[in-house]
């Protein structure tokens, strides 16, 4: 029997999303604001916790995961970059994460 502590899963994913978004923003020379990064990372941690509780069809999980990754990038940097740069950020973020 596996035991998964949701709070630990949330915290680890929050930290990894924050660091990955920070790193990707640094590589693309985007202005990094803490509040949008914290909000995006919190959403990523919540998504990971929900994914652990409600796991299902792998194809549907992949599509929802792609949407969640794009939403994280948009929350963190959406107001600071154009559509093409946002897609580059999304590809970099998804590749790194």
């Amino acid at each position: 029997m596996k035991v998964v502590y949701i709070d630990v899963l949330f915290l680890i994913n929050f930290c990894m999303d924050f660091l990955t978004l920070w790193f990707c923003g640094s590589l693309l020379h985007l202005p990094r604001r803490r509040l949008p990064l914290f909000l995006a990372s919190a959403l990523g941690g919540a998504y990971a916790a929900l994914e652990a509780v409600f796991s299902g069809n792998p194809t549907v999980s992949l599509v929802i995961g792609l949407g969640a990754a794009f939403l994280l990038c948009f929350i963190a940097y959406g107001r600071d970059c154009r559509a093409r740069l946002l897609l580059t950020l999304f590809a970099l973020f998804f590749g790194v994460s």
Side-chain angles (χ1 to χ4, degrees):
M1 174 188 201
K2 288 187 201 176
V3 176
V4 176
Y5 293 100
I6 296 297
D7 56 344
V8 174
L9 179 66
F10 173 84
L11 182 64
I12 290 171
N13 198 278
F14 173 86
C15 292
M16 290 307 297
D17 284 339
F18 184 84
L19 290 173
T20 305
L21 285 168
W22 185 275
F23 173 72
C24 292
S26 296
L27 279 176
L28 297 175
H29 304 288
L30 293 170
R32 294 174 306 276
R33 294 185 179 88
R34 287 189 188 124
L35 183 61
L37 284 171
F38 279 122
L39 291 175
S41 300
L43 181 67
Y47 168 73
L50 288 173
E51 180 70 26
V53 173
F54 301 112
S55 61
N57 186 347
T59 306
V60 173
S61 293
L62 176 66
V63 171
I64 294 173
L66 285 169
F70 184 79
L71 186 61
L72 294 182
C73 292
F74 183 76
I75 291 171
Y77 296 108
R79 67 183 237 186
D80 295 324
C81 59
R82 300 174 314 277
R84 186 175 183 139
L85 187 58
L86 187 62
L87 288 175
T88 305
L89 174 68
F90 162 69
L92 182 63
F93 175 76
F94 194 74
V96 169
S97 65

